[in-house]
Amino acid sequence: MRVANFEDVKYLSKNLRKCDEEELKAFANLSPQSALTQGLIFSELPIVVVNNNKPVAMFGVVPEGDLGLIWFLGTDELKDLLFLIVLFTASSVLVSEGTTCLVTAPY
């Protein structure tokens, strides 16, 4: 994992999971490019998950007053890292509606 950048946004926006694209459309009528760009700009510390030097997911927390809006978007390649992501998110208490399709994705 590392700090995300605009090149990650470009790659991920073309490779997001179908369930993430559908959620973005239903929830906020956002394109993958727009959602990832906003996440990169407004998150305190946007992080990208990398596998074999390729971005497979991006996440962050957007400050909202005393709270934070947690988001997580990924590619189909994320299923190869599911166990590690679940351990990381559980240990970081990173729980969000955006991860719902992550834990229910078929293998």
Side-chain angles (χ1 to χ4, degrees):
M1 288 186 281
R2 59 173 169 73
V3 176
N5 60 51
F6 284 104
E7 287 300 312
D8 300 321
V9 168
K10 183 178 176 182
Y11 178 83
L12 289 168
S13 67
K14 296 176 184 175
N15 294 285
L16 275 191
R17 297 175 294 181
K18 184 75 172 160
C19 63
D20 281 339
E21 288 185 28
E22 290 171 353
E23 185 174 348
L24 290 171
K25 182 78 171 161
F27 179 69
N29 200 29
L30 289 174
S31 69
Q33 177 83 29
S34 179
L36 287 160
T37 299
Q38 289 181 36
L40 179 70
I41 292 170
F42 296 114
S43 292
E44 285 285 318
L45 182 64
I47 299 293
V48 66
V49 178
V50 179
N51 188 33
N52 295 322
N53 294 320
K54 252 188 342 188
V56 295
M58 194 165 131
F59 63 93
V61 178
V62 176
E64 183 72 26
D66 291 338
L67 303 174
L69 303 172
I70 301 167
W71 61 276
F72 186 108
L73 299 168
T75 68
D76 286 328
E77 294 177 39
L78 190 58
K79 66 184 175 191
D80 298 333
L81 303 173
L82 180 62
F83 179 72
L84 296 175
I85 298 299
V86 169
L87 282 179
F88 175 79
T89 56
S91 66
S92 301
V93 194
L94 181 61
V95 179
S96 97
E97 289 298 318
T99 61
T100 302
C101 59
L102 168 67
V103 293
T104 60
Y107 299 107

